[in-house]
Amino acid sequence: MSSSNGSPKKIYFGPPPGVVEGQPFASHNELYAKNVHRQRGAGISGTAAEGVDSIVASGGYAADEDHGDIIIYTARGGDRDKSGHITKDQELTGSNAGLVLNFREGLPIRFVRGLGIVSGKARKGYEYAGLYHVDDYWGVRTARGHLMWQYRLVKDDIEDPLQAATGVCADPDTDDSTELERSVAKYISTQRRVRNTKHVRAIKALYGNACQMCRTTLAVGLDGATYSEGAHIHALGAPHLGPDEPDNILSLCPNCHVLFDNGARLITDRFEIVDGLTQQIIGDLYVKHDVHKVKRKYLRAHRRRWADRSGDLGDL
């Protein structure tokens, strides 16, 4: 499976054979020998075309956060100073782009935690932490003005990362989602889990399940049933911590939801819809202003999350 000189092994996704969570390793060489991490000495294993199958974290970036079951992981590149702050823009290429593929395809990542980290090096070895998935990603400008990409990794045995990050969860006694909504939500990929809180359901009902971006109403049943998804403008969960309230929610079709969550659709303070890839205005957001008070501060938070494509929109 490997060459004698330690070249990268063939990519595979899933748990390492014969290795248990919490198992210690003295070095990268041991991780490589036990097929936990395919690239000896490298912090991340993967490519843009294949995705990322394993990460060895050693705290080399100042913006990294390790909360156990939830990890804020900073992309590679951008150089670093001695304090771990990037000194130039990062790019969504190589393994950084591979992590985006993980997000879109739901590919798991073997995560290894460095122990006794000093100056970006694990002085006390490593520990296999288990499988994680990319639950979210974003690009922001640092205080020094450099573009930085980050990813939220969530442990696979956490049923609801929103609950783990914020303590917010659905109340089974008040969850009146229809059987149709539950079945469709089960079908949707894990990284875009539908959260049918009472506020989400209220906004979807207000617009009759019509998409506020493209005006589409999806008919999904012979009985006239329709379907839409509730999209939080300022994202929930760490590190965004947007609120679950009507003023922070849009009713969107699945296509527009994906485009919005990936920064391919932005909204100005004048409620204009902007193509995030071309920066062209392509329409207006449908808002019932008398009853749905979409707050501009949440629109701005969403635009800041996609600093690489919001360009000169600023607070327009």
Side-chain angles (χ1 to χ4, degrees):
M1 188 175 178
S2 67
S3 63
S4 58
N5 65 3
S7 60
K9 302 178 181 182
K10 184 177 179 180
I11 193 168
Y12 77 96
F13 296 95
V19 175
V20 298
E21 288 187 24
Q23 184 168 329
F25 295 87
S27 65
H28 262 263
N29 286 341
E30 286 192 11
L31 292 168
Y32 179 85
K34 290 292 186 179
N35 298 314
V36 178
H37 192 58
R38 297 181 304 111
Q39 293 185 302
R40 181 179 292 162
I44 187 167
S45 167
T47 66
E50 297 176 300
V52 170
D53 61 338
S54 60
I55 287 174
V56 178
S58 297
Y61 287 82
D64 285 349
E65 299 178 27
D66 189 342
H67 303 289
D69 292 335
I70 296 179
I71 294 164
I72 307 302
Y73 181 77
T74 304
R76 304 301 88 186
D79 291 343
R80 286 172 291 174
D81 60 20
K82 293 182 179 180
S83 62
H85 293 91
I86 65 173
T87 58
K88 66 179 183 180
D89 288 356
Q90 294 180 328
E91 299 180 352
L92 272 186
T93 57
S95 59
N96 294 342
L99 286 168
V100 177
L101 182 64
N102 283 67
F103 169 76
R104 291 172 178 161
E105 300 297 329
L107 299 171
I109 297 170
R110 296 182 298 280
F111 188 81
V112 178
R113 183 174 285 113
L115 305 175
I117 296 173
V118 178
S119 299
K121 294 184 178 180
R123 307 292 183 179
K124 297 183 179 180
Y126 303 89
E127 177 185 85
Y128 174 60
L131 294 180
Y132 285 69
H133 67 270
V134 182
D135 180 70
D136 198 2
Y137 78 102
W138 54 90
V140 295
R141 293 285 174 187
T142 67
R144 304 177 185 183
H146 304 299
L147 179 62
M148 178 175 68
W149 290 98
Q150 291 189 296
Y151 311 82
R152 183 169 63 215
L153 309 182
V154 177
K155 205 168 191 305
D156 269 358
D157 59 5
I158 298 298
E159 181 177 352
D160 188 343
L162 169 63
Q163 180 180 352
T166 68
V168 177
C169 60
D171 184 347
D173 295 329
T174 60
D175 185 3
D176 56 359
S177 303
T178 66
E179 184 63 28
L180 173 64
E181 285 180 315
R182 287 193 293 270
S183 64
V184 173
K186 184 177 181 181
Y187 175 78
I188 294 175
S189 59
T190 55
Q191 68 269 24
R192 292 179 52 248
R193 294 171 187 172
V194 175
R195 312 198 189 284
N196 282 315
T197 67
K198 64 179 182 180
H199 297 308
V200 167
R201 295 196 299 273
I203 293 300
K204 296 198 300 180
L206 176 64
Y207 292 95
N209 280 330
C211 178
Q212 290 180 251
M213 285 191 175
C214 69
R215 312 297 199 272
T216 298
T217 300
L218 296 178
V220 293
L222 295 175
D223 59 354
T226 57
Y227 175 77
S228 66
E229 296 178 3
H232 288 87
I233 303 167
H234 186 185
L236 303 180
H240 312 295
L241 301 180
D244 181 35
E245 62 178 37
D247 298 344
N248 189 38
I249 298 170
L250 299 176
S251 172
L252 300 179
C253 70
N255 281 353
C256 288
H257 192 175
V258 171
L259 292 170
F260 187 68
D261 279 357
N262 284 273
R265 293 291 182 270
L266 306 171
I267 304 171
T268 72
D269 279 9
R270 293 193 290 263
F271 301 102
E272 299 161 321
I273 302 170
V274 176
D275 185 320
L277 307 182
T278 66
Q279 284 73 55
Q280 299 298 308
I281 296 174
I282 58 175
D284 296 301
L285 188 71
Y286 171 41
V287 182
K288 296 184 177 182
H289 293 284
D290 54 335
V291 289
H292 188 196
K293 308 297 184 183
V294 176
K295 292 183 179 177
R296 289 174 173 80
K297 66 178 181 180
Y298 299 143
L299 299 176
R300 294 168 188 168
H302 179 262
R303 296 200 299 271
R304 285 195 299 270
R305 182 181 171 189
W306 300 102
D308 68 316
R309 57 195 67 178
S310 56
D312 296 327
L313 293 178
D315 290 339
L316 295 180

